[in-house]
Amino acid sequence: MSGPGEKPPIDRLETGIPNLDAILQGGLPKGMTAVIAGPPGSGKTILTQQVCFHHATQGGRVLYFNTLSEPTAKTLLYLRPFSFFDPKLLEERIRFIDLGLMLRTKGLELTANLLMEQLKQFKPSMVVIDSYKVFDDLSQSAEELRKFTYELIVRLMAWECTTFLLGEYSTDHFEHPAFSAIDGIITVTQSSLSGEQQRLLQIIKMRGTGHSRDKHPFIITQAGIEVYAPSLTLRRKRRTGQSPVEASRLRTGVSRFDELLGEGIPPGSSIIVSGVSGSGKTVLGLEFIYRGARDHGEKGIFFSFEETEERLCSTARGLGWELEREIERGLVRIVFIPQPDILVDRHILEMQRHVESFGARRVVLDSMSVFLHKIDDKRLVRDKAFWLANIVQNQEAVGLFTNDVPAGTAQYTRFGVEETVMDGLVLLSWEQEGLERRRYIEVNKLRNTAHARGRHAMSIAHGGVRIFPRLDESLAREPRIPLAPRRGRLSSGVPQLDALVGGGLLDGSVTLVSGSPGTGKSTLGLQFALEAARTSERALYITLEEGPTQLLQGAEEMGLPLREALEAGTVEILYLPREQLHAARFLNAVEERVSSLAPSRLVLDSVSDIELQGRVSEELRWLFYGLVIRLRGLGVTSLFTLEARSLFLADTLSEHGLSPLADNILMCRYAQENGLLVPVLTVVKTRGSIHDRGSHCLLLGAGGLRLGSRFGGAPPPSSEAKKEVKKRRGPAPGQKRRK
């Protein structure tokens, strides 16, 4: 009922055609007379017959008059394949009458009288004349046709009939003498839209309703006609209550991707994932769906236009994912639409139905550039992208829309307008570096989120996508961690060296050993790691140049029990060949191993091997800084070796600029004595300790590295100092401490 002062609404009739009622803003005005115009084969008759059968199923009565265009028998023959056709409705609810003979023999006036007699007998609520253009051909003048049409419409109005007059009228201009007396004009045509040959429906005129004036694509299937009107049916819904910013955010589950995205993705967000061919867009989207199902129990739907479900499942198996299991569990659905079959407006509405019926929390479209590839008009591209985003927002899901960009261009998206209507933009790229292709990822835009900026390393291997956040960006998120509280001193593995630094290395400290080639840096690192066996702790030895086999051979030649420590699990070797690593990837690998092993000691041999292309890089300094911060926070005592480019004591410590970050700095260089090169060690720096500043000869042999006399003839450390070191170290393994 209408409220006080409000005009009562016009009664409406449902058409039974999907989305047509939305275009008419509620359906057909009851009792109106409308012309349905269009060329032969455009769909006029099927459109009207579908409306008639739907009206009959709702309790209405329909009179369908055929004129000279097609006999009734033929009409019924072509109706039978359609699912809306119900023969049980014939005669009782729908009656087909052929006016052809009467028109040919008796003329307009007698035909009109026959038509009215049928109205009195059947008492219909809907009338169709197909085709009304026959009356144009049989009338003697425009004035006669206008008079006939007017009298017919008046009589039909008296019976409160909703009437359709079908005809092959021109859709370019409507100058028919009778059109001024009718209430509505609906046109059906065939033409190109969005780069596709499509059937189009348009409401030119409809009294009593604020209808859409756009051209809307439609198709004819066995089910009848379906009209597509995304601009009306995909309107963005208004949400009440909690805002998207406040609602629970979605975590992708993809390795380190969530770190780049900050606090997560707001529900209802649509994100474009752009990149050239081979940059990893499909794999990222597939993993987004898979991780959501496996790790979070969230339903995900993957729309593909190039890869079938079988091929996508095969890709998943190659990456070690059990995607078929998630499909069987009902958490993942893959919808394959072959590229040649794409009808943009039709499939947008099909995607909406899939997303809503499935209850998807995650949506991937692979790819949007393929889906919209037939459209040349950027305004239309923007509209379609907006409707796709509305599907995701109305479902409060998160959507990833992959987008191919041409190689060698600075474009972010294929068409240059998609990113303006989406909430986020993620860029994937790759570069050829030497013999290897390096992948990168960048979060260019994500609304309502403090995301990481800049480009970050990425790889695709067994297990899926791996992301290595850039060091300066990841460190900016973490508070600076001070040096761990001192819990005492640890032996370096060389008693004479412990004496030089005040009894050992402070627990949780970082020691930098800058050494010339052949001075014993790696041996010192091994002895430092093997000291973990004395207290049943663990040590992690990271090598970037020598593999485990080489290290074992070298240790055995010097009598160091490395093999026993490896078998006992007190020492673990992590071999990371430098040619396979970026600095960010290196830090990520180390962090994972430190987290799982929880060592008390760590050796990195050597920092220099992380340099790229033989140059000292700023990224190396960030790497060293990041590693120091993390190890200090974990209370790990660490020793880093560094290859010096100088041989002699007179040269600088190093060119790397890393010394300010170390707590202890040991310099191993060569000195000349009697025409020989003598390796010597100098303690350059120890925080929190008074240290011996002299240079001492280095001796390598059975048992490893040890210190000899002070260079230049001075005595080695005193026996009292050695006793103090021994006291701090405690008993050797297998010995009991004396009371």
Side-chain angles (χ1 to χ4, degrees), residues 31 49 70 147 158 227 315 344 371 491 500 512 602 639 729:
Q49 290 169 345
E70 190 174 79
K147 180 181 177 181
V227 182
T315 298
V344 174
F371 182 60
S491 173
L500 295 183
L512 181 64
L602 181 143
L639 185 147
R729 291 176 62 207

Side-chain angles (χ1 to χ4, degrees), residues 440-510:
Y440 296 95
I441 185 170
E442 177 182 357
V443 182
N444 183 276
K445 164 189 171 183
L446 185 57
R447 288 175 182 150
N448 303 316
T449 302
H451 59 82
R453 300 187 181 277
R455 201 171 64 158
H456 306 267
M458 185 184 92
S459 68
I460 298 175
H462 189 79
V465 173
R466 297 192 67 190
I467 295 172
F468 310 93
R470 208 176 64 248
L471 299 172
D472 55 340
E473 182 65 35
S474 60
L475 292 174
R477 298 173 179 272
E478 302 178 5
R480 181 160 183 150
I481 304 174
L483 191 65
R486 303 306 186 189
R487 297 188 300 271
R489 292 182 181 270
L490 301 177
S491 173
S492 65
V494 180
Q496 301 92 341
L497 176 58
D498 295 341
L500 295 183
V501 295
L505 304 175
L506 288 172
D507 193 4
S509 64
V510 177

Side-chain angles (χ1 to χ4, degrees), residues 124-277:
S125 55
M126 183 174 288
V127 173
V128 177
I129 301 178
D130 182 11
S131 153
Y132 192 75
K133 197 171 187 299
V134 172
F135 294 92
D136 295 15
D137 302 332
L138 297 177
S139 62
Q140 300 298 316
S141 64
E143 183 179 349
E144 182 185 5
L145 179 61
R146 184 182 292 110
K147 180 181 177 181
F148 172 80
T149 303
Y150 179 77
E151 290 178 355
L152 178 64
I153 291 174
V154 169
R155 291 183 183 185
L156 291 170
M157 287 179 61
W159 286 92
E160 297 184 346
C161 289
T162 301
T163 305
F164 296 104
L165 308 177
L166 281 61
E168 295 78 19
Y169 300 107
S170 171
T171 57
D172 297 330
H173 53 83
F174 293 98
E175 298 177 355
H176 193 283
F179 283 1
S180 60
I182 63 176
D183 304 301
I185 301 174
I186 301 173
T187 66
V188 285
T189 58
Q190 297 187 67
S191 62
S192 178
L193 180 69
S194 300
E196 306 163 349
Q197 284 296 320
Q198 298 188 11
R199 300 176 187 267
L200 302 173
L201 180 146
Q202 185 179 20
I203 312 297
I204 302 296
K205 170 186 176 182
M206 190 63 66
R207 287 176 182 153
T209 181
H211 57 84
S212 166
R213 298 182 182 276
D214 296 333
K215 292 183 178 180
H216 299 282
F218 70 93
I219 61 169
I220 301 175
T221 66
Q222 188 176 1
I225 282 179
E226 183 173 4
V227 182
Y228 302 114
S231 59
L232 299 174
T233 57
L234 284 176
R235 293 187 183 277
R236 190 159 288 186
K237 298 176 183 178
R238 292 184 178 180
R239 298 291 178 183
T240 58
Q242 201 173 31
S243 69
V245 180
E246 297 167 343
S248 175
R249 292 176 178 249
L250 183 140
R251 313 295 290 180
T252 68
V254 179
S255 164
R256 308 297 291 272
F257 192 27
D258 291 316
E259 291 184 25
L260 303 186
L261 297 173
E263 56 268 46
I265 306 175
S269 296
S270 298
I271 301 172
I272 294 177
V273 180
S274 274
V276 298
S277 177

Side-chain angles (χ1 to χ4, degrees), residues 352-363:
Q352 178 193 25
R353 287 195 286 266
H354 274 293
V355 169
E356 291 180 352
S357 64
F358 191 55
R361 172 76 166 154
R362 300 174 181 228
V363 179

